[in-house]
Amino acid sequence: MSQPSALSADQIAAFERDGFLAIDSLVPPEDLVAIELEYEALLDRLAHELFDKGKISSAFDTLDFGDRYAAVIAEYPDLTNFLNISLPLLNEGIDPETFHVHAGPAVFDLMRHPKVLDVVEALIGPEIDASPVQQMRMKPPAKGLHDAVAGHSNVGATTWHQDIVALFEEADDTHQITVWLAITEATIENGCLTSIPASHQEGPKVHCSNAAIAREPQVPDKVMGEREGTPLPVSKGGAVLFHKMNVHRALPNLSDGLRWSMDLRYHPTGQASGRPAFPGFIARSAADPSQEQRDPAAWAASWEAARQNILSGQHKGRLFEDTRWNDAAVC
């Protein structure tokens, strides 16, 4: 006997109509403690290492996590490379010192959280790959951001975009779902997502390369016109699900505290990830559960192997294509 769907028929219909669905409470807050502790320890280690190397003026030991993160990244913008669930999307001029990824066990466990996979299964079925296109977004108050990081989408507000631009052409037909998971409460004031309803039905938009921030293509104002999105605030542990063609952005953090979220992406097993240089894994399989990746150390090792493959030059070709959706007449 099949299990009931984690999403109601009305929720699925709303997702199909709007291209997004906000779920105010998905992962219990107590299940987020492990990720908070993992990142506190990671930041503490990095702050001391960077201070010892003379990269920052202090280890900022007396500050709480959010303030400490803001202080370190203000002096060392490349910190984001050490905290993200991704390698930098560089195609040349790679600096081994800053070409890093964080693939910790708490991150892995959240990617495999049953409640997350349950809602994904309701939309794409029970054979689920965790995409290698993942992001950790930790956003300090905008008023204190250094110019060097203010435009980085993992640190500041984001521009209008569709997630399809993060993928190579091989994944044009891949049924990718994003689960935007709130590690802290996401409000309008602190920079929640905002989305254009039904924009996923309009096809791919022109995206112009961002001259100021590499690898941040955006739908320009002349394409968006005066359209305004629907803000999607959710509680801590809440989530926004959205289609890869949905047009969305994150608002600036105008609060006095950290806004923290994760972009978790999934697609049916067997479909192209659109990011072949980075490792995905089978997160759930009803047909053959033995194929599921359940070992966080093995997952972390796959990321380190990808890092070494790129640094050594064994990986040929680009890691990311930020000009595919350009239109010279528009951009």
Side-chain angles (χ1 to χ4, degrees):
M1 184 175 181
S2 62
Q3 296 293 319
S5 172
L7 297 178
S8 68
D10 286 345
Q11 286 177 310
I12 293 172
F15 178 86
E16 293 175 347
R17 180 191 68 235
D18 296 330
F20 62 80
L21 177 69
I23 302 174
D24 192 55
S25 179
L26 180 63
V27 174
E30 57 268 25
D31 290 359
L32 301 175
V33 172
I35 197 92
E36 293 167 342
L37 293 176
E38 181 169 291
Y39 268 79
E40 286 176 6
L42 176 62
L43 181 60
D44 182 66
R45 176 176 63 80
L46 291 171
H48 281 280
E49 289 179 359
L50 291 169
F51 176 62
D52 290 344
K53 293 178 180 179
K55 302 289 187 181
I56 56 178
S57 62
S58 166
F60 303 105
D61 292 288
T62 62
L63 301 180
D64 65 19
F65 177 78
D67 290 341
R68 191 180 195 185
Y69 166 71
V72 175
I73 205 166
E75 295 190 13
Y76 190 75
D78 284 325
L79 179 70
T80 184
N81 294 342
F82 294 79
L83 303 180
N84 201 12
I85 327 168
S86 178
L87 292 166
L89 301 178
L90 303 173
N91 299 301
E92 61 277 319
I94 295 173
D95 178 2
E97 185 177 349
T98 62
F99 197 80
H100 288 277
V101 60
H102 177 65
V107 173
F108 179 75
D109 287 345
L110 270 185
M111 293 172 70
R112 296 186 66 251
H113 196 287
K115 289 187 177 296
V116 171
L117 295 181
D118 286 347
V119 295
V120 173
E121 179 173 338
L123 296 174
I124 69 173
E127 306 304 314
I128 302 172
D129 263 28
S131 165
V133 187
Q134 315 283 355
Q135 298 287 337
M136 186 67 74
R137 304 196 188 273
M138 304 170 70
K139 307 202 173 192
K143 62 187 177 185
L145 285 180
H146 190 282
D147 289 345
V149 294
H152 193 300
S153 66
N154 284 11
V155 183
T158 56
T159 51
W160 289 116
H161 66 281
Q162 297 168 300
D163 279 2
I164 193 172
V165 302
L167 310 177
F168 283 167
E169 188 174 357
E170 64 185 34
D172 280 358
D173 295 327
T174 294
H175 191 186
Q176 185 193 76
I177 298 292
T178 296
V179 179
W180 189 93
L181 181 65
I183 309 299
T184 61
E185 180 184 22
T187 66
I188 293 175
E189 182 187 21
N190 76 7
C192 68
L193 281 183
T194 183
S195 176
I196 305 292
S199 55
H200 66 304
Q201 299 176 13
E202 300 171 6
K205 305 254 180 221
V206 169
H207 284 69
C208 298
S209 298
N210 188 333
I213 306 295
R215 300 167 303 281
E216 297 281 351
Q218 57 188 312
V219 182
D221 290 341
K222 63 180 68 177
V223 172
M224 292 302 298
E226 300 299 320
R227 297 177 74 174
E228 295 184 5
T230 299
L232 300 168
V234 292
S235 300
K236 178 180 178 123
V240 180
L241 317 180
F242 55 93
H243 190 283
K244 71 178 182 182
M245 299 292 283
N246 171 257
V247 179
H248 61 281
R249 64 185 176 101
L251 299 171
N253 181 359
L254 303 180
S255 75
D256 293 324
L258 181 71
R259 199 277 277 154
W260 184 358
S261 65
M262 295 171 66
D263 294 0
L264 304 177
R265 296 188 176 92
Y266 304 89
H267 59 263
T269 300
Q271 294 185 2
S273 74
R275 188 70 63 79
F278 296 174
F281 64 89
I282 296 176
R284 175 174 286 182
S285 175
D288 187 0
S290 69
Q291 296 298 306
E292 297 175 5
Q293 176 59 273
R294 302 176 185 178
D295 183 352
W299 176 66
S302 72
W303 274 102
E304 181 56 26
R307 177 177 176 269
Q308 294 300 329
N309 195 39
I310 295 164
L311 286 174
S312 68
Q314 294 181 60
H315 175 76
K316 307 298 182 183
R318 295 173 67 81
L319 304 180
F320 177 71
E321 179 55 70
D322 62 354
T323 61
R324 179 184 170 201
W325 305 101
N326 278 14
D327 183 307
V330 175
C331 299

